[in-house]
Amino acid sequence: MAETTKYLIDESRLPKDWYNIAADLPQPPAPPLHPGTRQPIGPADLAPLFPMAIIEQEVSTERYIEIPEPVREVFRLWRPSPLYRAHRLEAALGTPAKIFYKYEGVSPAGSHKPNTAIPQAWYNAQEGVKKLSTETGAGQWGSSLAFAGQLFGLDVTVFQVRVSYDQKPYRRALMETYGARCIASPSRETQAGRHILEQNPDHLGSLGIAISEAVEVAALNEDTKYALGSVLNHVLLHQTIVGQEAILQLEMADADPDVVIGCTGGGSNFAGIAFPFLGLQLRGGRKRRIVAVEPAACPSLTRGKFAYDFGDTAHLTPLVKMHTLGSTFTPPGFHAGGLRYHGMAPMVSHLADLGLIEAQAFHQTACFEAGVLFARTEGIVPAPEANHAIKGVVEEALRCKAEGRAETILFCLSGHGHFDMASYQAYLGGKLSDSDYDEKELAMALSGLPVIA
Amino acid sequence: MAETTKYLIDESRLPKDWYNIAADLPQPPAPPLHPGTRQPIGPADLAPLFPMAIIEQEVSTERYIEIPEPVREVFRLWRPSPLYRAHRLEAALGTPAKIFYKYEGVSPAGSHKPNTAIPQAWYNAQEGVKKLSTETGAGQWGSSLAFAGQLFGLDVTVFQVRVSYDQKPYRRALMETYGARCIASPSRETQAGRHILEQNPDHLGSLGIAISEAVEVAALNEDTKYALGSVLNHVLLHQTIVGQEAILQLEMADADPDVVIGCTGGGSNFAGIAFPFLGLQLRGGRKRRIVAVEPAACPSLTRGKFAYDFGDTAHLTPLVKMHTLGSTFTPPGFHAGGLRYHGMAPMVSHLADLGLIEAQAFHQTACFEAGVLFARTEGIVPAPEANHAIKGVVEEALRCKAEGRAETILFCLSGHGHFDMASYQAYLGGKLSDSDYDEKELAMALSGLPVIA
């Protein structure tokens, strides 16, 4: 009889609560500061941008926060997501390690992003909000929020970085299929956008500018709120359903991971798989290695400073203490667009500072090599972001082989790569380079830190 | 308590056999004829192209044919696939009908095609074959066979229609990620291709030419066999795992479909969902409506002749009795590439001729409208092919609403549309037309039928 490959749990076991790691921290993270007053921000400062329920989650120290039933209803479209044992990858590597992966590509948008888009849209709808504004780079987050808004009757406006808007029309088509309005950023629809275009009408845009535009629209319109797809505590909270399910599924598999691995951009995917396991440890459970894998070309955890910095380039957001390359740092144009962020979620940064998690960085060609091996063995073509996690897994599995240790490795396969075949084309055609950041530019960006001591 | 959305069965209930409808037919279909002798073909005629196990399945009248355990092993990567209740679509339509869909987009290639690619590759590998050749239009079949070949150590060569090779580089990237070699067809690698290129070096290619090239390579090379992704009996057989699973899952849902709907190109997707239910009926069970939905621009079942015809434009294949628009018919360039075939599987055609199935045809804009409604309610963006089935479902659901009947409708959502966002972009931008075939050309193509009386 063959070994089981897939571990599915029944809809009835869909988690009823998110896990809030703030409840179990040995010490609290540094508070976010108002960009003007440099004083800790309060709910009133955030109220123009977020509904009250989200603001409460942002600062909550309750261990478990109930997932609203209408949100669970939507989750049932694809959740619980499958946990897989990677038998064929193990065989190809010749490793004694047992490799498990939690697969989030089964969501309608093909990634983990709907896990937070759905509750964010629902809380906004509950508080009478009619419109949401957001930014997107490659479009994973924008398409997830577009879908979520559609389900709860919210109009969604997405400021899409112009270079992505022009070069990735299919991502835009997905957002529009879900009913969202996409605007190339910088745009003439906001003060921030017009200001940039006056200086340079052909500006290609950046995530920082798109954030500024989306925030401005929300701040100036009573019926509009802003939604963010990573970094903030409530976003990380919403992703913990991934790890919560994985714990149940690994019980079915009679397995207990020695190493838990996730890729990190803003940090929410990593938090989703890692925090529930870290919570077990913080409450007295066994110690596991928890590994964040980031791109070597944008290495906030491995090369950044842990310091107060701005979340955007225009310096409109609160100051947060995080691992950052500096808000003026521009990562080179590698293919994992979801990992191209100068900072790291403050909560993930705090845990790294406490020594509770490890960080590793890999260059993109090595990650694509691991991703192609995964596709040829396990069948799923991973998103370029997820290839970073897979590279981390392959390294651990080969270490296990060298050491003759049958460790259990868990990672999150955060999305499929069906929208990213251009990057595979480039890799297979030998046209992908490991273009690195400019050391001088990084030094310059870091020299401005901390913004406040 | 919310109603269940998803019906999953455990890997242990993965079907052990395919269902062969040939066992239950009231009368057998007309035999395929040799293109030269016009006599019924025998195993020896097919041996250069297919392994013996496949040839046996092609002519078998055994009701159940065992699925080899190594094939089931691979199937466990995504099978059993989920059955969904479309609560939100029902609500949007205001219909009393209960709508269920079997979702095949969870496979690694994003469609139902791996259901036959995996066993075809396995049987070939078992009989010592080293290489497979095939053709592909848009790439769904080519990528599925590429993946299957990779798993069992077979080199896969895909002749991809040139216009698709040039215009859909991402499909090619997927095939190459899975390790296949893609060749633009017509090519200089075959006699057939060179002949075409001598007449027209800029020929855009066609499925018919690509078939000729793939068949030629298999016929001339001892170590190479040919694989086909639809039309033939063994391919339809392999797809019946879809309907077999659906029967088990509908039992879980305590539901019994009154109408079963599938889209039809070559016929294998339709056969997969429909034949197991039709089998129940042929063995004395209740009568259900079984509906094949095809594109109005390529309407083989609704406008074609049931007559002996060639499967390819170059007239190298056996003559088969099928619903056909004539092998010289060129369908207009609509977006459901998987449905652009002049003929219909002989077995599906035979059942239509016996009055056991119905057929409907819809134009593509109406199908995309239904597909966008589906995406905005159920979340999954369907492949353009599957939109035809959804259009059929919407029509039935609205009929139920008008008649006040709470019928149960089942359909197969054969694949996701993540590789097809260009067609959604065209639809949403108002650039999609219902370009029809030329009536005179159809009359001309039909006038050559039957090739043999």
Side-chain angles (χ1 to χ4, degrees), chain B residues 375-396:
Chain B
R376 291 182 182 180
T377 51
E378 294 296 314
I380 299 166
V381 178
E385 290 81 2
N387 284 344
H388 289 74
I390 295 171
K391 173 61 179 168
V393 168
V394 168
E395 290 297 309
E396 294 294 332

Side-chain angles (χ1 to χ4, degrees), chain B residues 19 21 236 240 267 270-280 347-348 351:
Chain B
Y19 167 65
I21 199 164
L236 277 54
T240 59
F270 170 75
I273 190 76
F275 282 9
F277 287 95
L278 201 50
L280 294 177
M347 187 62 85
V348 172
L351 294 166

Side-chain angles (χ1 to χ4, degrees), chain B residues 124 146 171 196 215 265 407 439:
Chain B
N124 274 286
R171 294 296 187 115
I196 301 276
V215 167
E407 293 182 13
E439 279 285 354

Side-chain angles (χ1 to χ4, degrees), chain A residues 15 88 158 163 170 174 214 271 290 297 314 347 391:
Chain A
R88 285 181 183 75
V158 182
V163 62
Y170 301 159
L174 183 59
I290 311 277
M347 187 63 83
K391 173 62 180 168

Side-chain angles (χ1 to χ4, degrees), chain A residues 1-6 8-9 11 69 73-74 76-80 84 88 101 108-110 147 150-151 169-170 172-174 176-179 372 375-381 416 418-419 421-422 424-425 428, chain B residues 1-6 8-9 11 69 73-74 76-80 84 88 101 108-110 147 150-151 169-170 172-174 176-179 372 375-381 416 418-419 421-422 424-425 428:
Chain A
M1 182 59 192
E3 280 187 276
T4 301
T5 295
K6 232 176 18 274
L8 298 166
I9 49 175
E11 284 188 15
E69 188 49 37
E73 279 274 315
V74 179
R76 289 192 185 93
L77 286 173
W78 74 96
R79 306 213 71 87
Y84 286 91
R88 285 181 183 75
Y101 58 100
F147 168 52
Q150 181 64 233
L151 289 180
Y170 301 159
R172 176 157 44 103
L174 183 59
E176 289 172 352
T177 295
Y178 285 137
V372 168
R376 292 181 182 181
T377 50
E378 294 295 312
I380 298 166
V381 178
H416 68 58
H418 293 178
F419 296 115
M421 294 315 299
Y424 279 89
Q425 193 186 4
L428 294 165
Chain B
M1 184 58 193
E3 282 186 275
T4 301
T5 294
K6 228 172 26 274
L8 298 166
I9 48 175
E11 283 187 15
E69 187 50 37
E73 278 275 316
V74 179
R76 289 191 185 94
L77 286 173
W78 75 97
R79 306 212 70 87
Y84 285 92
R88 286 182 181 77
Y101 58 99
F147 166 53
Q150 181 64 232
L151 289 180
Y170 300 159
R172 177 158 43 105
L174 182 60
E176 289 172 352
T177 296
Y178 285 137
V372 168
R376 291 182 182 180
T377 51
E378 294 296 314
I380 299 166
V381 178
H416 68 57
H418 293 178
F419 295 114
M421 293 316 298
Y424 279 89
Q425 193 186 7
L428 294 165

Side-chain angles (χ1 to χ4, degrees), chain B residues 218 283 342 365 387 412:
Chain B
R283 296 196 300 281
H342 71 275
T365 53
N387 284 344
C412 183

Side-chain angles (χ1 to χ4, degrees), chain A residues 119-144:
Chain A
Q120 287 196 49
W122 187 79
Y123 286 120
N124 274 286
Q126 284 300 102
E127 298 190 22
V129 176
K130 301 294 179 209
K131 297 177 183 170
L132 291 176
S133 71
T134 196
E135 71 289 326
T136 205
Q140 293 274 19
W141 165 242
S143 56
S144 299

Side-chain angles (χ1 to χ4, degrees), chain B residues 78-278:
Chain B
W78 75 97
R79 306 212 70 87
S81 69
L83 178 86
Y84 285 92
R85 170 83 183 271
H87 290 297
R88 286 182 181 77
L89 177 63
E90 293 169 16
L93 295 170
T95 181
K98 291 180 187 169
I99 302 173
F100 290 88
Y101 58 99
K102 180 76 170 160
Y103 183 40
E104 292 296 305
V106 292
S107 85
S111 78
H112 63 295
K113 292 291 187 189
N115 293 334
T116 183
I118 303 295
Q120 287 195 51
W122 187 79
Y123 287 120
N124 274 286
Q126 283 300 104
E127 298 189 21
V129 176
K130 301 294 177 208
K131 298 177 184 172
L132 290 177
S133 71
T134 195
E135 71 288 326
T136 205
Q140 293 274 18
W141 165 245
S143 55
S144 300
L145 193 70
F147 166 53
Q150 181 64 232
L151 289 180
F152 298 117
L154 294 160
D155 285 340
V156 174
T157 300
V158 182
F159 288 91
Q160 184 175 13
V161 175
R162 178 177 291 281
V163 62
S164 161
Y165 183 92
D166 290 339
Q167 291 179 4
K168 298 193 169 178
Y170 300 159
R171 294 296 187 115
R172 177 158 43 105
L174 182 60
M175 291 185 259
E176 289 172 352
T177 296
Y178 285 137
R181 189 164 78 99
C182 294
I183 300 169
S185 167
S187 78
R188 304 218 162 266
E189 306 218 358
T190 67
Q191 180 88 31
R194 286 189 296 270
H195 182 70
I196 301 276
L197 288 174
E198 277 160 24
Q199 296 171 331
N200 178 4
D202 300 320
H203 200 293
L204 295 177
S206 74
L207 211 46
I209 294 166
I211 291 175
S212 300
E213 293 204 271
V215 167
E216 182 182 321
V217 166
L220 296 182
N221 293 281
E222 190 72 31
D223 62 352
T224 306
K225 298 281 184 194
Y226 171 69
L228 190 68
S230 191
V231 178
L232 296 179
N233 292 341
H234 68 273
V235 183
L236 277 54
L237 173 78
H238 297 160
Q239 292 294 350
T240 59
I241 193 168
V242 176
Q244 300 271 82
E245 286 180 4
I247 288 173
L248 299 175
Q249 289 165 310
L250 286 166
E251 275 171 17
M252 285 175 70
D254 198 20
D256 188 2
D258 300 292
V259 191
V260 177
I261 297 177
C263 63
T264 42
S268 73
N269 160 64
F270 170 75
I273 190 76
F275 282 9
F277 287 95
L278 201 50

